[in-house]
Amino acid sequence: PFLHCPAYDDVDLEQLVNDMNSSMESVYSTQADTAVLLNNGHAPHHHHQVHTSYLGHSRRHTPPLPPSSPSRERLRHSQPMHIKAVRNLQEEHQLRPASLPAIPNPFPELCSPTGSPILSPIQTSDNHIVKVWSEDGAGKVVEIPADMTARDVCQLLVYKSHCLDDSAWALVEHHPILGIERCVEDHELVVQVQASMSGDSKFLFRKNYAKYEFFRNPLNFFPEQMVAFCQESDGSIPPSQLLQNFLNSSSCPEIQGYLYVKEPGRKSWKKLYMFLRRSGLYYSTKGTSKEPRHLQVLSDLEDSNVFTVITGRKLYNAPTDYQFCIKPSKVRSDCKELKMLCAEDEQSRTCWMTAFRLFKYGIVLYQSYNVPQQRKSNLSPFTAPVRSVSENSLVAMDFSGRTGRVIDNPIEAQSAALEEGHTWRKRSQRMNVLGSPSPLHPSSLSTVIHRTQVWFHGRIMREEAHKMMIQQGQVDGLFLLRDSQSNPKAFVLTLCHHQKIKHFQILPCEEDGQVFFSLDDGATKFTDLIHLVEFYQLNRGVLPCKLKHQCTAVAL
């Protein structure tokens, strides 16, 4: 049944097959796994012919060829390699994966790292679930990685909520039971902050215009009588030098002044002279002395954060409304561990809290402040806001003649837009929704168009307006409009200036059958509140400052 080739005439195939049978038996008798290496895993085609004859041939034992036989020398390359059968259990366990055939695994994700067919445990994700609440009580759940900062989370929420992107958005750590909250720094990791919070605590998403305001107007935040190196210098120092002393770790500025300190375990408060340094917060046991033997440490800065108390004076029986506290990071909901403090006025409280942040984070705060500034500088030199593609595809048209024409001159186009806007305002004043000339009709467009603006908050009380302004940072130019509680036809402008909140009444006045709105008893009149706000954003007028920041309530 075999074909005889000249190269194999002197080969005894039967004897070769018997020799292979005996070799295979020795291989199968080993207790370990064996691997047959035939010419490095690749056998020539004629070897497969020999192996086929072995599978169908009857078994007969003949003496093997002597080792010195030329035929055996010629076939040595096709013989199986013998593997030692004596191996201890530990060696066999270590070498088992390496002794398997080198076949690529088509499903590596279903196998354990050692290569065994046992399914590996389910890989846990590095992402974490964080729930953020808005001021209207709505919440949004986001999944974030462990290395995501507060700034990144704010950018994500701005994108998901379709808000106007600016650097004022902040993530607030809110503790309702303790009645305290703080603005999470932009560089802080949200997952780490969440790990230090109790079950009742939550994150709030809102604006905080005062987050980096001290970099723009440092002298408003650090009065000379409260900063030690200001007293030692002759006259006032420039703002740049003031901030440099705070940011430079080699300098030793300190904040000093009187604070009310709540005594531990009691409802009473004690007035002490305090010193805030890079090493911590100290109080003097002897008047205003700052000698080391008279100073006692109240709290360190490294493992603590400064919070604003938002519950008013009743909860902690505070002597004034300007409370703040220092909370150790390890404390979750134990109010006994809080260092409760109280200042004489808002400027003093802001100075202490801002200095605490600067001493703790230093140059990192300045780097976080510069990130949005650098992003603004990298934008195009045009001052016009970036518009959508569909809006950029629109052109100004003039239809005053028989045929329309495109207005190529940008100055002419802007003038036409302003003229059209004034014409529309006058037309909307004279016509109500039914088309009848009734300027005092409550459905007229001028009396309701302002309700679509983010700075208008409807029927909220004066106290609620105060609370919103404080939460979003008492910076110059922060404003909102609301309905008047005393006059149903009037409105109120709430404005912040020099960390004080002031209220200005907007009264309606009638002239030639039309209703206008005025802040200065009719000296300057406006057809609607939008027109009024736009004017005072460009001109101070009778106000102490221009309208700059809109106090908004975002809905997630």
Side-chain angles (χ1 to χ4, degrees), residues 126-133 140-146 148 150 153 171-175 182 184 188-204 305 307 327 329 331-332:
D126 291 336
N127 290 346
H128 299 261
I129 301 299
V130 174
K131 190 168 185 179
V132 184
W133 301 82
K140 184 180 287 292
V141 177
V142 292
E143 185 178 3
I144 63 172
M148 199 167 193
V153 173
L171 207 61
V172 178
E173 179 185 350
H174 181 72
H175 299 265
R182 76 175 180 102
V184 181
E188 289 188 84
L189 301 181
V190 177
V191 174
Q192 291 183 1
V193 176
Q194 184 176 246
S196 64
M197 297 166 58
S198 59
D200 64 285
S201 305
K202 56 185 178 181
F203 287 116
L204 301 178
N305 288 300
F307 285 77
K327 174 181 172 293
S329 302
V331 175
R332 291 179 177 266

Side-chain angles (χ1 to χ4, degrees), residues 103-115:
I103 302 176
N105 184 5
F107 306 104
E109 66 276 4
L110 297 180
C111 296
S112 63
T114 57

Side-chain angles (χ1 to χ4, degrees), residues 437-453:
S438 177
L440 298 179
H441 196 281
S443 299
S444 60
L445 189 59
S446 63
T447 59
V448 296
I449 190 174
H450 53 267
R451 299 188 180 275
T452 62
Q453 304 301 307

Side-chain angles (χ1 to χ4, degrees), residues 5 8 10 13 50 135 148 184 226 262 278 300 303 311 314 337 340 360 393 404-405 410 439 444 446 449 476 488 548:
C5 299
Y8 297 96
D10 56 345
L13 293 179
V50 176
E135 292 168 312
M148 199 167 193
V184 181
M226 295 186 62
K262 187 176 183 298
R278 298 189 190 277
D300 67 332
D303 298 324
T311 55
K314 293 184 178 180
E337 298 292 333
M340 304 299 301
K360 180 175 181 179
S393 62
R405 67 179 182 90
S444 60
S446 63
I449 190 174
D476 290 353
K548 187 176 181 181

Side-chain angles (χ1 to χ4, degrees), residues 409-462:
N409 189 350
I411 300 179
E412 182 184 359
Q414 185 177 7
S415 176
L418 292 176
E419 182 179 356
E420 181 69 20
H422 289 303
T423 304
W424 173 82
R425 291 178 189 274
K426 294 178 181 178
R427 186 187 306 118
S428 64
Q429 274 299 124
R430 297 191 181 98
M431 305 296 292
N432 63 3
V433 292
L434 299 178
S436 60
S438 177
L440 298 179
H441 196 281
S443 299
S444 60
L445 189 59
S446 63
T447 59
V448 296
I449 190 174
H450 53 267
R451 299 188 180 275
T452 62
Q453 304 301 307
V454 295
W455 39 256
F456 187 79
H457 294 268
R459 294 184 176 274
I460 63 173
M461 303 293 291
R462 175 189 288 251

